[in-house]
Amino acid sequence: MTSAPTAGLYPSMLSAPGLVEPVPRRVRASLTGTTVLDTTRAVYVWEWAGYPQFYIPAEDVTTATLTPSGPDQDDAQGTFHPVDLRVGETTVVNAGRHYVISTLPGVTGTVRFRWEVMDCWFEEDEEVFVHPRNPYTRVDALRSSRPVRVEVDGRVVAESQATVMVFETGLPTRYYFDRHAVDFTALTPSGTVTACPYKGVTSDYWSVTSRGALQEDLAWSYAFPTRQLLAIAGLVAFYNEKVDLVVDGRPQPRPVSPFS
């Protein structure tokens, strides 16, 4: 299987919508302190190429009540009825889709919950954020001595020959700078918080003031990333899509990213 490079900048995703694969990990999710589901029989279903969703066998939803909340509907995965989820005194309307029939292997009889319905999700004993981790995605943090410079409207806001480069399938390379290499006089703290299945939850965000205008949320940091990405702890990265980036003395084109 081949595909065209993503604007010649980084590898694209190769998983096609409709792909179904077994999940070899224990999957759990909880709501209001109650474990709603606990299974080793989940399946990954790619609804689009970027990443999969968990489809959970209905019989492994053991401490909650699923109630049909509307007529059967059809989508690319099969025929389902929407369900409400009740845990104790808490009811979540339209919490997910219970598939009564599907041509996809392993999907009939499963429930696809909306991720945000649950307070937290776990793969084995590690919390996962935003969506399931794609088993076909690599995320590598590599130290590099290549010179990297970040500019905003001609102003240098970060420059270093000792960055940590993060290579993640389907995303542009991210360049993480030691804080002494960042001009914090140009940065204004922001209250924004984002999360990543591979890196964890951000601890800091900054906007950049340039030519009298505030450009929001151009930089971020993870104080406590996941153990696989410990090399970026406390470092600062900038959105390639929103700044001017120079690597090895060569200006880089701004990529169009499908993810933040």
Side-chain angles (χ1 to χ4, degrees):
M1 179 177 180
T2 59
S3 66
T6 309
L9 299 177
Y10 52 90
S12 59
M13 295 288 188
L14 294 180
S15 304
L19 177 65
V20 179
E21 294 285 7
V23 178
R25 313 170 186 203
R26 181 187 184 190
V27 176
R28 290 177 293 154
S30 65
L31 177 64
T32 64
T34 300
T35 299
V36 173
L37 61 93
D38 187 343
T39 184
T40 57
R41 301 184 300 147
V43 293
Y44 293 119
V45 178
W46 276 259
E47 299 172 359
W48 70 303
Y51 52 84
Q53 294 290 344
F54 289 137
Y55 280 56
I56 309 296
E59 56 266 34
D60 290 342
V61 182
T62 57
T63 58
T65 302
L66 298 174
T67 305
S69 59
D72 286 356
Q73 301 178 35
D74 295 308
D75 65 11
Q77 286 67 251
T79 299
F80 69 91
H81 48 250
V83 290
D84 296 343
L85 174 69
R86 183 176 178 82
V87 180
E89 300 300 315
T90 300
T91 298
V92 181
V93 177
N94 192 25
R97 307 190 297 260
H98 185 187
Y99 285 86
V100 295
I101 188 169
S102 174
T103 59
L104 297 178
V107 170
T108 299
T110 64
V111 181
R112 196 289 215 189
F113 290 102
R114 290 189 290 113
W115 188 269
E116 65 275 14
V117 162
M118 305 298 178
D119 292 334
C120 50
W121 289 81
F122 293 87
E123 295 180 356
E124 296 297 338
D125 291 342
E126 294 192 4
E127 187 171 0
V128 182
F129 306 94
V130 187
H131 59 73
R133 293 168 177 157
N134 189 338
Y136 303 126
T137 291
R138 285 189 63 95
V139 184
D140 298 306
L142 305 180
R143 299 186 181 278
S144 176
S145 59
R146 296 163 64 191
V148 182
R149 185 171 73 250
V150 175
E151 299 179 1
V152 177
D153 292 331
R155 179 177 181 176
V156 176
V157 296
E159 188 168 15
S160 178
Q161 295 187 50
T163 60
V164 174
M165 298 185 181
V166 173
F167 301 92
E168 180 175 345
T169 307
L171 278 177
T173 303
R174 301 303 191 192
Y175 303 88
Y176 282 78
F177 293 81
D178 287 321
R179 295 197 175 208
H180 65 73
V182 177
D183 179 7
F184 278 93
T185 66
L187 273 58
T188 301
S190 162
T192 298
V193 176
T194 63
C196 169
Y198 310 100
K199 295 182 285 291
V201 179
T202 56
S203 55
D204 302 279
Y205 252 87
W206 295 271
S207 301
V208 176
T209 300
S210 177
R211 297 180 181 176
L214 186 68
Q215 300 190 43
E216 295 184 351
D217 297 336
L218 298 194
W220 70 89
S221 182
Y222 292 88
F224 303 100
T226 59
R227 58 184 173 79
Q228 296 90 342
L229 274 296
L230 285 177
I232 67 169
L235 306 188
V236 179
F238 294 80
Y239 281 110
N240 311 35
E241 301 89 332
K242 300 178 181 180
V243 300
D244 295 317
L245 188 67
V246 180
V247 180
D248 282 336
R250 294 188 292 272
Q252 303 296 299
R254 290 191 181 186
V256 177
S257 169
F259 309 108
S260 61

